[in-house]
Amino acid sequence: MTDSKYFTTTKKGEIFELKAELNSDKKEKKKEAVKKVIASMTVGKDVSALFPDVVNCMQTDNLELKKLVYLYLMNYAKSQPDMAIMAVNTFVKDCEDPNPLIRALAVRTMGCIRVDKITEYLCEPLRKCLKDEDPYVRKTAAVCVAKLHDINAQLVEDQGFLDTLKDLISDSNPMVVANAVAALSEIAESHPSSNLLDLNPQSINKLLTALNECTEWGQIFILDCLANYMPKDDREAQSICERVTPRLSHANSAVVLSAVKVLMKFMEMLSKDLDYYGTLLKKLAPPLVTLLSAEPELQYVALRNINLIVQKRPEILKHEMKVFFVKYNDPIYVKLEKLDIMIRLASQANIAQVLAELKEYATEVDVDFVRKAVRAIGRCAIKVEQSAERCVSTLLDLIQTKVNYVVQEAIVVIKDIFRKYPNKYESVIATLCENLDSLDEPEARAAMIWIVGEYAERIDNADELLESFLEGFHDESTQVQLQLLTAIVKLFLKKPTETQELVQQVLSLATQDSDNPDLRDRGYIYWRLLSTDPVAAKEVVLAEKPLISEETDLIEPTLLDELICYIGTLASVYHKPPTAFVEGSRGIVHKSLPPRTGSSESAESPDAAPSGAPPSEQAAVIPTQGDLLGDLLNLDLGPPVSGPPVATSSVQMGAVDLLGGGLDSLLRSDVGGSPAMGGPGFTAPSAVMPANLGPPPSGGLGDLFDLAGGVGALSGSHVAPKTVWLPAMKAKGLEISGTFSRQVGAISMDLLLTNKALQVMSDFAIQFNRNSFGLAPAAPLQIHAPLAPNQTVEISLPLNTVGSVMKMDPLNNLQVAVKNNIDVFYFSTLYPLHILFVEDGKMERQMFLATWKDIPNENEAQFQIKDCPLSADAVSSKLQGSNIFTVAKRNVEGQDMLYQSLKLTNGIWVLAELRIQPGSPSFTLSLKCRAPEVSQYVYQAYETILKN
Amino acid sequence: MAILFSRIKLLHYRVLLGRQSVSSTWTPLGSTMIHSLFLINSSGDIFLEKHWKSVVSRSVCDYFFEAQERATEAENVPPVIPTPHHYLLNVYRHKIFFVAVIQTEVPPLFVIEFLHRVVDTFQDYFGVCSEVVIKDNVVVVYEVLEEMLDNGFPLATESNILKELIKPPTILRTVVNTITGSTNVGDQLPTGQLSVVPWRRTGVKYTNNEAYFDVIEEIDAIIDKSGSTITAEIQGVIDACVKLTGMPDLTLSFMNPRLLDDVSFHPCVRFKRWESERILSFIPPDGNFRLLSYHVSAQNLVAIPVYVKHNISFRDSSSLGRFEITVGPKQTMGKTVEGVMVTSQMPKGVLNMSLTPSQGMHTFDPVTKLLSWDVGKINPQKLPSLKGTMSLQAGTSKPDENPTINLQFKIQQLAISGLKVNRLDMYGEKYKPFKGIKYMTKAGKFQVRT
């Protein structure tokens, strides 16, 4: 008799039948019925209609039945909150049961029921259970606090559960400690600012003690928690390391990796001269190697992490090359990772072995893997100079196999080798040329053309070869076209006499018959260069190329350091900080390795406007703020080209004189070649580019308020004219300008989107980062038709204030992401606070007086509003238009005093006293508010409204 | 700061994960480690789902199916799959995909280890882990899963403890339960759950007290064409079956403990004692458990117990090829090599093979091109061989990939690393237990390139 019987049902009314059975008098029948219900649940059937009947079975002394009912409740309570209340009494009763198993079960289940009404009843039982005599109950209750916090954080704080939880860290039972740590870290993640896990040497000591005794899962929580601690000196770091190292021998790979994280992080604090440092390095290798003998899924995660570790501390695994050799039945995802690490570990000492392996892999069946193996040979050649010759001959062997994709891949990497070691291996060109016809992939064709152009003087029939490509010029992909253009110009400069016709032909093809702007621009530039000053042309086109970097695909050091802090997490699998893919509270806390703390702090906060400066609504394109996002975006652009800047200054000057702004497009459009090279053609170091890109984005914006026209309509609050938020050059041709408005209670963001690119844009979407007042789009960005080049669309995006809240600096900073079919762009802008002033912001006089007195004087801020020649009444009516209400007006000693109130969308009241001296254009504004940080922005709003 | 429209752009992992960019917006929900679990069979049916928090629609598995489709074989499905709102972490065991749904940044190894533990528990409970068995025991499965995880925190993953909470089904118990109406849910708090030795329950009683230890070594090796070793390593484990009354305290010592420089212990082993004396001292769990696993790395010389002589020749523009392999013992310390099995994936160009083995059975599947030869025991006096011809596709050039030969074998009474147990002592209890040690060497991933 098996459980599969629970799945068999009669055709007519399964639910009906179950209902009858659930209400049966016989215990046994009831239990069977509940089992049937659970069985249906496991296969995703909706049995929520049975809720009242199942809940009726709850009051039983049969533990199994009780458990089953609890299982059901957890699944469906959310959808039937009113019904769930029926269960509360039983829960509360069960929390008092003499059997600890039942007490724990009840408190655990209650915590899983995410219904507000239930949580109220949960507090008392939970408080008792947190202090229960039985550790099993305490440990369950600790987790329950985390659950409750997730449902209602405020409640948990008010009830003081957090303190009880903190006390549990000192519990006598290690399991309780582990769960308390887990719960606290979970809560701390959603409240990064709160100092919940107050780590100090004493609590660390407790954790380390518990580490030895609790379960494997608890050890992971504790280790992850330890990793966030900042030891005060190297001695403390060492003593923690000493106590963590035994975890490296744990059978659970997650424990091992978490321990590796702690050690990698704290090692940073140890002096390299220390004996212990060397010991630690030695201890790290074996566990990492052992991870590779685990199941493939574990191996994959381990390999991704080892990839980081090898970049940070190559010495740990330098002797372990062989464990990364690929077995032919490894899953493909393991193979590719192993290959990557092999190249990172390749050195002069082991290169022979590595090459032999790579050659072996190049004859495997899996195409992706073979390609990567061939590329790896090229990377070895570039990395280990001594091996270059052997690599080249290996590649030649592979070309002889005539396997199409192997040949193409080999040619692409040989081109890189030529770049790295010029004038050394040109003897192989003949062999390469034999394979010309078989190349059908753009990258390989472009590489081959580059080679022919670069060594045109040594290839007798270079002109014939290039000419053969020219026949199908318009069918080629852009990178091949660009490459062909450059190659023929090179050829012409080297052998001008025989190739004049050819160069004419390619220039006309590129400039007249092509609709690709990059190609046209490049064609014109060459044309003009050649016709005005062939000597300059020679210097530009045949300039010495910058060296290519030895190590490719390296993770940028600051990112690497951050990722080291995330060893063992998803971030380490994706090699991106969690901020890049988890939009959660965690995002705010950047982790950093110990010695770097100071610098990373300051880098995090977005550039705040210098204090005292006039408020200007400047749009800041986020990458310029030098924060992590910028790094990330740069990262996508491929590895930077290392080496000295290109060309001599005279060449650069000449080029600029001759061509003006056109040169940058020539430089930029150099897309051919692998990212390792940064383009085989004419490559400029990236630093040169910005200079050619015109004024910096923020420079041309000017002061918004100077531009203001007669906008401020009476129907709503003042609306500033649109300013450019995202300049086209920062967003691949998409220019966004906009402003904020508030009309009869509705906030909207009025946008002007202009397509300044040459391709059609579509699929627009917008999103805001969490901000101080929870501003969020109330509807998706509705742009129905695709945006054609040079077309502009005006759109008003309704906003609400129910989004997630996170305090920004400055307070009214709003970070926006806009997506289209081309890319995702980020910018930030400052919104005027008055869009948040609500319509019912008028306070009663009495109330006003009482509140004014009630707010402490420290909260009062005074500002001067200059050059505003308005009368008190005009001021009053003007402000009222923007929901700043005059509560009372008095005349004291010839001065007009306006008492005003306003309310923000989040319910914060701001009280104001405006003193107007007749005849003087200056006003004095005193603001009182319980949240004094808004005062400055309210003042800005006053300024803006009054002066427009 | 949080990034919106975060793009998981996997540059060179494109091949792997296929989906080049997933624009995903994550809502900061509570950080339940594992949100839900789906069990999916190889034909793509979700046959069980378990949610530890709110119900996640099973449509989330569509992303998994997409990845599954892209991967040529089930084994190649990437273990981490991003979707717009979740991550799917999966393991493939016993022809079942165990897909965990997670919503926040969690250690993936944690999840994968947990999934493995789920598989082990099922196997432990039901003898085998298969779709049929899981469906047959769906309620027990559900109860066990609930017991294993609370709010994403693993609760009880030791099978010792689980079995006390929820008794595994036996035919007898099912019958008894039906008659008496008793349940298979324990109503006592598991004794081991909170003691200092959480892995052992109290009050264990046996009439025959016995402790068996199996030292099992798997040898992973890659041998090149000429027969020399490219890499070889040994993965060893000591599996124990301990049925001892009371709270026995055991020590196990080795003749040559220095071999064990890279070890992972069961939590019961006292690490300090090992560090200082190189002795394994522990209070064992009751029943079967893995005491220790170890790794003898490539740097130490690893003895290779067998060799393969091969002569496989394809010729250009000929429709016939020659095939000959011979298997022989190498460093076996006089022990017999048995259970030998040779498999090889032949190149696509091989249409058929006509072979004669000197012993054992062989098959060649012309569709999958898989050659397998069940050799059996190796008699050193008369080495087994497999000879014959291959018919090749006419007119094509010779295949560019060479077949790799995979070898399986077993050697009883030998730990190839040379590891030897010195003695086993018991303290804390008065009786005299029966003790036994067994050694075995097996091939792990043992590959010979040709």
Side-chain angles (χ1 to χ4, degrees), chain A residues 305-323:
Chain A
N305 280 286
I306 288 173
N307 201 325
L308 295 175
I309 294 169
V310 162
Q311 289 183 60
K312 180 74 190 163
R313 299 195 183 279
E315 60 271 32
I316 294 177
L317 287 168
K318 64 178 176 207
H319 298 302
E320 303 290 347
M321 172 61 93
K322 279 184 172 179
V323 299

Side-chain angles (χ1 to χ4, degrees), chain A residues 1-4 7 28 31 38 41-44 62-64 67-68 71 74-75 99 101 108 114 134-136 139 143 147 150 173 175 182 186 189 216-217 220-221 224 246 249-254 257 286 289-290 293 295 297-298 300-301 304 319-320 322-323 325-333 337 357 360-361 363 368 372 403 568-571 573-574 576 579-581 583 586-587 627 629 767-769 815 817 823-824 826, chain B residues 1-10 12-13 15-16 25-26 28 30-31 33 47-50 53 55 58 75-80 82 87 90-93 102 105-110 112-114 116-117 135-140 142-143 146-147 149-151 153-155 157 165 174 178 181-189 193-194 222 225 230-231 233 235 262-265 271 295 299 400-401 404 406 445 447 449:
Chain A
M1 232 192 340
T2 69
D3 291 350
S4 52
F7 291 114
E28 206 38 43
K31 197 163 88 188
I38 301 284
M41 215 163 77
T42 62
V43 290
N62 182 315
L63 189 59
E64 188 181 20
K67 272 193 171 180
L68 292 171
L71 273 179
M74 281 185 235
N75 230 19
N99 184 342
L101 205 55
R108 179 177 154 203
R114 305 176 56 83
D134 195 304
Y136 181 76
K139 120 185 166 147
V143 177
K147 293 183 200 166
D150 186 32
N173 187 294
M175 313 276 234
E186 185 182 322
E189 268 151 31
E216 48 196 317
W217 313 107
I220 300 170
F221 296 131
D224 286 347
S249 300
H250 202 285
N252 185 320
S253 59
L257 208 54
V289 170
T290 304
S293 53
E295 287 83 356
E297 300 91 359
L298 297 172
Y300 171 71
V301 178
R304 291 295 285 165
H319 298 302
E320 303 290 347
K322 279 184 172 179
V323 299
F325 284 0
V326 172
K327 308 213 167 64
Y328 95 100
N329 44 4
D330 281 335
I332 179 74
Y333 55 84
E337 286 309 316
E357 278 297 300
E360 198 69 44
Y361 304 159
T363 63
D368 289 332
K372 191 154 178 175
V403 177
T569 67
L570 273 177
V573 173
Y574 286 108
K576 308 241 156 167
T579 43
F581 54 90
E583 190 208 306
R586 231 182 242 244
D627 75 358
L629 173 61
Q767 213 166 56
F768 296 173
N769 192 5
Q815 295 176 330
D823 208 333
V824 182
Y826 305 91
Chain B
M1 61 160 286
I3 295 182
L4 317 163
F5 288 117
S6 341
R7 298 204 307 166
I8 299 148
K9 197 167 168 193
L10 299 171
H12 55 287
Y13 296 96
V15 201
L16 228 177
T25 326
W26 288 59
S31 36
M33 292 263 173
F47 64 90
L48 187 116
E49 57 184 88
K50 165 83 186 124
K53 217 162 198 179
V55 178
R58 50 168 67 191
E75 286 79 8
N76 283 341
V77 176
V80 186
Y87 275 97
N90 71 86
V91 302
Y92 181 64
R93 290 288 174 284
I102 60 171
E105 170 64 277
V106 296
L109 279 187
F110 185 114
I112 294 172
E113 279 278 0
F114 178 80
H116 285 150
R117 218 55 67 85
K135 276 183 170 166
D136 278 353
N137 295 287
V138 69
V139 176
V140 175
Y142 220 64
E143 287 171 332
E146 184 59 33
E147 221 44 75
L149 208 63
D150 176 21
N151 196 38
F153 301 119
L155 204 58
T157 51
L165 285 167
T174 322
T178 338
S182 66
T183 72
N184 55 348
V185 167
D187 54 4
Q188 287 298 308
L189 196 57
Q193 179 84 308
L194 289 156
I222 303 177
K225 279 187 200 35
I230 293 178
T231 153
E233 47 189 352
Q235 313 293 346
D262 181 3
V263 282
S264 318
F265 296 120
F271 191 76
H295 178 252
Q299 281 162 84
D400 24 80
E401 75 255 28
T404 300
N406 249 342
K445 285 189 168 178
Q447 311 186 339
R449 292 175 181 162

